[in-house]
Amino acid sequence: MTVKQNIYNNPIDNLSYLDYFIFYLKLIVFVLFSFPLIFTALILGEIIPFFGKWLPVIFHKLLLWLLSINVEYEGNYQRAKDCNFFVSNHLSYLDIPILGSIFPLRFVAKSEVEFWPVFGFLSKLARTIFIKRKRLDSVIQKSKIFDLLSSGDKVCIFPEGTTSDGNRVLDFKSSSFSALENQNFLIQPVIICYSDLNGIPINRWLRPVIAWYGDMDLKPHILKLVTLRSIKIKLIFIDPVCSNHFASRKNLSNYLEEKIKFIYSSSFSKTLAR
């Protein structure tokens, strides 16, 4: 997919000197707190599981604070503590710190991410599961995710397999659920809805300020995003489901896809109607 580079413009481009001062002050605080967190995770993350699990959660919370991201919860997200497997739609790199600020989740990402500058390093510290999209590796990867789930880890996937433009949810890949087939795991579907930028309801023309997809360059996208005064997000938690209630992974995938698409579309329509 080819995306024009001029479509993700900042909706409000008149930041004052005070806005810049506040952001850079917050950035200094963020760096001062983040380096000890990263160092501790690097040294003690493997030795003491508690640090390995919860330090990324604290880091993600700090990142949301830095970017003035306000998260509103809908549904019984406390019940999600009992779930093993989390499934969500995917629009942006922001999806990871947003979800990762709630629970100590292990995200599943393509193997290329492991070698990205900065992002790859932080992903490894956050215990990301890197997978190769080759059929020959699918059995090993299925076994790895199953073992992590069985040991009590919480795993999060984005079954679209890539980021969307935010105007719709893409079709799910049923292979994302292979580790759950014929198993008894509790699944928590989560819908991420970006609703406001700088107090302005997001429409399809503003959505590329948040959504990162296609051939968009990462650096200019981030530089635009960090100049926003505020970002408002709604996380919708719907009723969890058991994987053993479905005859196959395809049935499970189709059910979750239908649910998430319907709720996302409804929420998107309400935002446009404001």
Side-chain angles (χ1 to χ4, degrees):
M1 182 190 301
T2 301
V3 178
K4 293 181 180 179
Q5 295 297 308
N6 63 347
I7 66 172
Y8 42 85
N9 296 316
N10 194 328
I12 298 177
D13 230 358
N14 58 343
L15 294 183
S16 67
Y17 288 114
L18 180 59
D19 292 321
Y20 283 109
F21 174 77
I22 291 172
F23 174 77
Y24 285 115
L25 185 62
K26 290 174 71 174
L27 181 61
I28 292 170
V29 175
F30 172 78
V31 171
L32 290 176
F33 276 90
S34 294
F35 272 104
L37 283 176
I38 292 171
F39 181 77
T40 305
L42 194 61
I43 302 300
L44 300 177
E46 292 293 332
I47 302 173
I48 306 175
F50 177 84
F51 287 119
K53 284 185 175 183
W54 287 99
L55 288 180
V57 176
I58 298 172
F59 177 82
H60 289 146
K61 286 182 181 294
L62 278 172
L63 187 57
L64 298 192
W65 171 78
L66 171 67
L67 299 176
S68 299
I69 296 176
N70 179 36
V71 181
E72 176 185 334
Y73 301 99
E74 184 176 308
N76 188 2
Y77 77 93
Q78 293 294 337
R79 188 178 176 187
K81 294 178 181 179
D82 300 324
C83 297
N84 313 88
F85 201 76
F86 290 70
V87 178
S88 177
N89 58 309
H90 197 21
L91 292 81
S92 171
Y93 42 80
L94 289 179
D95 300 342
I96 292 172
I98 288 167
L99 293 171
S101 67
I102 309 171
F103 303 113
L105 300 175
R106 299 196 66 165
F107 293 92
V108 177
K110 58 185 180 181
S111 57
E112 293 90 336
V113 174
E114 185 177 3
F115 305 102
W116 288 5
V118 182
F119 283 89
F121 172 73
L122 293 175
S123 296
K124 283 184 278 189
L125 283 184
R127 308 179 306 136
T128 299
I129 306 163
F130 299 104
I131 62 171
K132 298 178 180 178
R133 296 179 179 178
K134 295 180 181 178
R135 189 176 295 274
L136 293 175
D137 298 304
S138 60
V139 175
I140 297 174
Q141 290 164 176
K142 172 183 175 181
S143 177
K144 181 178 182 180
I145 293 174
F146 173 78
D147 290 342
L148 291 171
L149 290 169
S150 299
S151 67
D153 279 347
K154 297 181 184 297
V155 175
C156 181
I157 65 164
F158 301 109
E160 294 165 274
T162 187
T163 49
S164 72
D165 61 6
N167 293 316
R168 68 198 187 286
V169 176
L170 304 177
D171 293 342
F172 285 8
K173 299 181 184 300
S174 63
S175 57
S176 303
F177 302 93
S178 59
L180 306 180
E181 199 163 25
N182 300 319
Q183 303 298 330
N184 184 26
F185 292 116
L186 195 57
I187 304 164
Q188 175 62 68
V190 185
I191 298 91
I192 303 176
C193 300
Y194 292 84
S195 58
D196 296 75
L197 298 180
N198 292 3
I200 300 174
I202 298 179
N203 54 33
R204 63 178 63 250
W205 294 279
L206 294 181
R207 198 163 296 280
V209 178
I210 291 294
W212 181 65
Y213 60 99
D215 294 329
M216 282 183 172
D217 290 333
L218 182 60
K219 183 178 178 180
H221 193 273
I222 291 176
L223 292 177
K224 285 289 183 182
L225 187 140
V226 298
T227 60
L228 294 169
R229 289 193 185 94
S230 65
I231 303 170
K232 186 176 179 182
I233 293 127
K234 179 184 289 185
L235 282 185
I236 304 173
F237 290 79
I238 60 177
D239 291 340
V241 296
C242 290
S243 57
N244 63 0
H245 291 175
F246 299 86
S248 67
R249 72 184 188 192
K250 190 170 184 62
N251 289 345
L252 173 60
S253 177
N254 289 341
Y255 173 84
L256 292 172
E257 178 184 326
E258 182 180 336
K259 283 281 187 182
I260 290 176
K261 279 185 174 181
F262 176 76
I263 293 173
Y264 183 81
S265 177
S266 299
S267 179
F268 184 50
S269 298
K270 289 178 184 177
T271 301
L272 293 177
R274 287 164 55 191

